[in-house]
Amino acid sequence: MTDAKNKGAALLNNPFAFALLSIVVGVLVGAIILVVAGYNPFRAYGEILAGIFSGPRNIATAIVRSTPIVLTGLSVTFAFRTGLFNIGAEGQFLIGGLTAALLGFSVSLPPILHIPFVMIAAAMAGAAWGGLAGYLKARFGVHEVIATIMLNWIAFYLNNFIVSLPSVQRPESEASYKILDSARIDILGAWKMSDVGLAWRRENAGSFFAELLRAEINWGIVVSVLVVVLIWFILNKTTLGYELRAVGFNRDAAEYGGINVNRSMVISMAIAGAIAALSGGLQVMGRTQEITKLAVMEGNGFDGIAVALIGNTTAYGNIFAGLLFGGLVHGGGRLQARMGAPSEIIDIVIGTIIFFIAIPNLIRVIIKARERAKAKKEVTDVA
Amino acid sequence: MWLSIAFLIGQTMMYASPIIFTSLGGTMSENSGVVNIGLEGMMVVGAFTAATVGFYSGNPWIGFLAAGVAAGSFGLLHAVACVTFNADHVVSGIAINFLGPGLSYFVSRLVFDGATQTRSLDLANKIPRPLDPLFGSNTFFELVLNRYATAYLALIMVAVVWFLLYRTKIGLRIRSVGQHPEAADTLGIHVRRVRYFAVIGSGVLAGFGGATLSIAIVSQFRPGLISGQGFIALAAMIFGKWKPQGAVLACLLFGFSQALVVFLGLRTQAIPTQIMSMLPYLITLFVLVGFVGKAVAPKALGRAFGEDA
């Protein structure tokens, strides 16, 4: 009896084990749905795994897919930990991409300056965008959820508006001009498309590096991990982080303790906005090199909410959860291509994982029921 | 002039009707103390179900009701998590926003040969416009009143939900478990049962909202059809201070600004369309800043009831 209790308590107190359990449940529910739909779940998950892990190209692509949501997840996490719900990562991401694209093609600097300049500018623009939501809440009491939902759509149309300007839109395209090489952070991106690069890749086709170069490899993930470390440090090791977390933990107590709650809300939304916008900037610098007119929201910000939750709203949790999410999405593409099974099974698996993360009490109830059954059995045994 | 006004009123009703249903759902759930951020996902489920069932049954009303049942079952799922297992309401809602659309597209691909959009309904099989034969085309009353039945139903539902919340025993119970579940419990109110009722009801209404989009305003379900309307409805509900009469005004304001975009877009090229499309969101933000004071949510909103699961 005490054994079961200890085991259950240990599981619930160990966020990693708990997240792992939720992932297992998510995969199982996905399998059941696949069976019901008439697909072989072993083959389906085999295809997904092969889609992620077969060869350097797929592994690299899975990582590239994960890069943006690691940071949007971090953005949501940061706001969460300070007591705010940032649904606005989506719009902040767009603002960051927009800023990066504009400054990437219109400003001419040597790479050593251009790259940090664009990154910082993208983050600053996002800080303003996110900080605005924080300010509206602090000054006017506008719920941050509403404010960020509205700001998402405003960012969406602002993006489309700016792309359509004659000085921005590349002729005969629905996209902006490409950023200059000096602002790009993809790895050997220009070289691999040059004559020399293409010749080398033909000669060495199938080799490790040639395969790797087939993915859109870039430095984004490295920057992202560094930012995760930085945010972890700010949250956990600085006075500012302590104050922000105190507000998130108990607003009234923090205020009583002399913390300026309104100021904290603005700062925390500004930082969250900066992180999400940096993610958008890195996406442009490392992958797309341009921004396009959007027909629908891309979902990087909303996926970030899922990543943050699966990562237990810890800074480093976003790395693991982001890789899991990005990997599944990339692998899901192969599922669709090879088996014709709907790749949306990935959304169902992700949704189930989050659902089970939402209900830690379910496990408590199961443990309790087992205890009760055991106790009952002991009683009947004695009788 | 009069025709322009009529056009604006008519378009306002059209754009507002799906979010009126959904925000009424939000009002029910949140008045009982359960945050429902899953409205978006529930709307998607409703839109898909209505379009699919409507297509195969040939009867839009069967599709409409099926949408309520399907989205209501996601309401049930949300209630199981939040009410029985004291889950974090926001997290469960986010899960539903992945599960609902995920399942909808999954089933759509199975049913419609790998497509994530359903086959279009024949015009005759859409939700009817009951007043259609009454007016000559392009007259004032035609432009205002010749709406799909769902637009009228939405307005009727406002009165129904208002009556339910403020004039019936169950409504009093819903509001009391949202304000102070422990006190309600002491008075013998079955807190969990009341919350289940309200949350399932919110799913049904969100499903109707989705159905309004897919089988009245357009004639099929496709990706991007809902795109954020559930969140807009959520915002309208908060904007309307958690009251059905407030929510409907917020929805109408939002619908009006969308109608204005269409209206201006037809008449002038001076303002770029993208800038005009921002209007509904900008207006909402400005109104929130300028006219609305701090909104007061139900006191027990988002809080679990009782320690024991």
Side-chain angles (χ1 to χ4, degrees):
Chain A
M1 196 169 148
T2 41
D3 229 37
K5 208 175 213 165
N6 288 342
K7 238 193 266 168
L11 186 65
L12 287 169
N13 290 333
N14 183 342
F16 189 70
F18 180 59
L20 215 60
L21 182 76
S22 301
I23 291 167
V24 170
V25 175
V27 168
L28 279 177
V29 169
I32 292 168
I33 289 174
L34 282 166
V35 170
V36 172
Y39 297 102
N40 178 347
F42 294 104
R43 203 184 139 211
Y45 283 119
E47 291 290 355
I48 292 175
L49 285 176
I52 304 170
F53 292 108
S54 63
R57 178 199 178 188
N58 280 318
I59 296 175
T61 303
I63 293 172
V64 169
R65 282 274 192 138
S66 310
T67 307
I69 52 179
V70 167
L71 281 188
T72 51
L74 184 67
S75 165
V76 176
T77 297
F78 189 85
F80 239 101
R81 292 291 290 277
T82 59
L84 296 166
F85 185 28
N86 183 21
I87 286 195
E90 189 76 33
Q92 294 144 12
F93 182 94
L94 290 176
I95 293 296
L98 183 62
T99 311
L102 292 180
L103 297 177
F105 77 75
S106 65
V107 177
S108 178
L109 285 169
I112 189 131
L113 292 176
H114 204 180
I115 288 170
F117 169 70
V118 172
M119 278 187 197
I120 291 168
M124 298 293 276
W129 202 256
L132 178 62
Y135 176 76
L136 291 175
K137 184 179 174 94
R139 175 75 177 75
F140 300 103
V142 179
H143 202 297
E144 81 270 16
V145 168
I146 309 190
T148 52
I149 289 172
M150 298 302 148
L151 286 169
N152 281 347
W153 286 102
I154 295 170
F156 177 87
Y157 289 111
L158 186 66
N159 174 82
N160 286 0
F161 171 65
I162 293 192
V163 174
S164 69
L165 292 175
S167 54
V168 176
Q169 187 166 14
R170 201 169 67 239
E172 282 157 49
S173 78
E174 289 292 295
S176 69
Y177 284 107
K178 299 233 175 212
I179 60 170
L180 301 174
D181 284 351
S182 54
R184 283 168 64 166
I185 56 162
D186 47 351
I187 299 169
L188 295 175
W191 178 80
K192 73 181 176 188
M193 293 318 236
S194 69
D195 292 340
V196 186
L198 285 172
W200 184 88
R201 286 165 71 192
R202 258 195 308 277
E203 261 167 54
N204 297 280
S207 74
F208 180 83
F209 283 109
E211 277 295 302
L212 197 61
L213 285 176
R214 287 175 67 196
E216 298 171 280
I217 49 173
N218 64 72
W219 292 106
I221 191 70
V222 178
V223 180
S224 303
V225 170
L226 290 175
V227 173
V228 167
V229 174
L230 175 72
I231 291 299
W232 174 85
F233 184 82
I234 291 177
L235 259 183
N236 297 298
K237 300 287 168 196
T238 64
T239 316
L240 175 70
Y242 174 79
E243 287 188 1
L244 295 180
R245 278 187 298 129
V247 174
F249 198 67
N250 186 333
R251 196 161 291 176
D252 298 328
E255 188 148 38
Y256 188 71
I259 295 171
N260 184 337
V261 172
N262 281 344
R263 189 175 142 266
S264 294
M265 286 196 286
V266 178
I267 293 177
S268 123
M269 280 306 287
I271 295 178
I275 302 168
L278 177 63
S279 174
L282 292 174
Q283 184 78 347
V284 169
M285 298 165 77
R287 241 186 117 184
T288 59
Q289 294 145 38
E290 63 186 15
I291 47 170
T292 48
K293 271 192 208 166
L294 298 170
V296 290
M297 293 265 188
E298 289 178 306
N300 286 305
F302 293 115
D303 291 348
I305 299 173
V307 169
L309 294 173
I310 296 174
N312 196 34
T313 56
T314 57
Y316 55 85
N318 290 295
I319 299 176
F320 300 107
L323 285 171
L324 173 77
F325 196 139
L328 283 176
V329 169
H330 174 55
R334 179 172 164 127
L335 179 69
Q336 179 98 44
R338 294 281 174 97
M339 282 177 73
S343 58
E344 281 79 14
I345 192 71
I346 300 303
D347 291 325
I348 298 172
V349 171
I350 298 274
T352 312
I353 295 172
I354 300 168
F355 191 72
F356 276 84
I357 284 175
I359 45 174
N361 273 339
L362 179 67
I363 296 166
R364 279 197 197 101
V365 172
I366 292 169
I367 293 164
K368 233 181 222 164
R370 276 178 49 186
E371 277 170 23
R372 251 186 240 133
K374 227 176 186 178
K376 211 172 171 187
K377 196 170 163 255
E378 274 164 21
V379 173
T380 42
D381 281 354
V382 173
Chain B
M1 172 69 190
W2 287 110
L3 285 185
S4 301
I5 292 174
F7 176 83
L8 279 174
I9 297 173
Q11 294 290 305
T12 299
M13 283 200 18
M14 186 189 89
Y15 281 115
S17 52
I19 48 178
I20 288 176
F21 278 115
T22 310
S23 68
L24 287 174
T27 311
M28 274 184 72
S29 170
E30 303 224 345
N31 268 290
S32 81
V34 178
V35 178
N36 191 351
I37 211 166
L39 290 172
E40 172 84 10
M42 294 173 187
M43 262 186 110
V44 175
V45 170
F48 166 71
T49 310
T52 307
V53 175
F55 178 77
Y56 281 105
S57 69
N59 183 332
W61 293 111
I62 295 178
F64 193 76
L65 290 178
V69 173
S73 59
F74 277 84
L76 173 66
L77 190 67
H78 190 50
V80 169
C82 299
V83 182
T84 300
F85 291 113
N86 293 348
D88 185 312
H89 301 182
V90 171
V91 182
S92 168
I94 299 281
I96 282 171
N97 285 340
F98 276 89
L99 284 172
L103 266 172
S104 298
Y105 293 126
F106 187 90
V107 177
S108 174
R109 280 192 199 272
L110 296 181
V111 177
F112 294 97
D113 302 324
T116 51
Q117 60 181 49
T118 63
R119 301 257 296 278
S120 287
L121 300 180
D122 293 332
L123 286 184
N125 287 343
K126 286 173 64 168
I127 295 277
R129 289 198 269 197
L131 305 182
D132 193 39
L134 292 183
F135 313 105
S137 80
N138 246 355
T139 57
F140 182 85
F141 287 108
E142 198 266 328
L143 286 172
V144 176
L145 291 175
N146 191 10
R147 308 263 65 93
Y148 292 107
T150 42
Y152 296 104
L153 207 55
L155 294 179
I156 294 169
M157 280 313 289
V158 178
V160 171
V161 172
W162 178 84
F163 188 83
L164 179 84
L165 278 178
Y166 297 105
R167 290 291 181 271
T168 66
K169 218 189 272 177
I170 176 81
L172 183 64
R173 288 178 179 172
I174 289 176
R175 287 182 295 128
S176 67
V177 302
Q179 291 290 342
H180 203 311
E182 289 79 10
D185 185 49
T186 340
L187 294 173
I189 294 173
H190 203 302
V191 175
R192 293 211 169 86
R193 200 178 294 163
V194 172
R195 284 189 168 176
Y196 260 87
F197 173 80
V199 177
I200 294 172
S202 82
V204 173
L205 284 166
F208 289 164
T212 301
L213 262 164
S214 68
I215 60 173
I217 295 178
V218 302
S219 52
Q220 64 171 176
F221 169 78
R222 53 170 183 260
L225 178 69
I226 303 298
S227 74
Q229 302 241 22
F231 288 115
I232 297 290
L234 187 77
M237 187 249 340
I238 299 175
F239 192 2
K241 299 193 173 174
W242 284 271
K243 291 186 170 69
Q245 65 272 33
V248 71
L249 288 179
C251 291
L252 287 172
L253 170 76
F254 199 81
F256 173 71
S257 40
Q258 278 194 314
L260 202 61
V261 172
V262 176
F263 178 76
L264 293 176
L266 291 173
R267 269 158 194 75
T268 166
Q269 251 75 65
I271 317 166
T273 49
Q274 286 94 355
I275 296 291
M276 291 222 291
S277 305
M278 286 181 198
L279 220 66
Y281 311 97
L282 280 172
I283 290 176
T284 307
L285 264 189
F286 278 117
V287 172
L288 279 170
V289 168
F291 299 100
V292 186
K294 269 204 192 334
V296 183
K299 274 211 183 65
L301 189 60
R303 241 180 55 211
F305 165 68
E307 283 298 310
D308 224 338

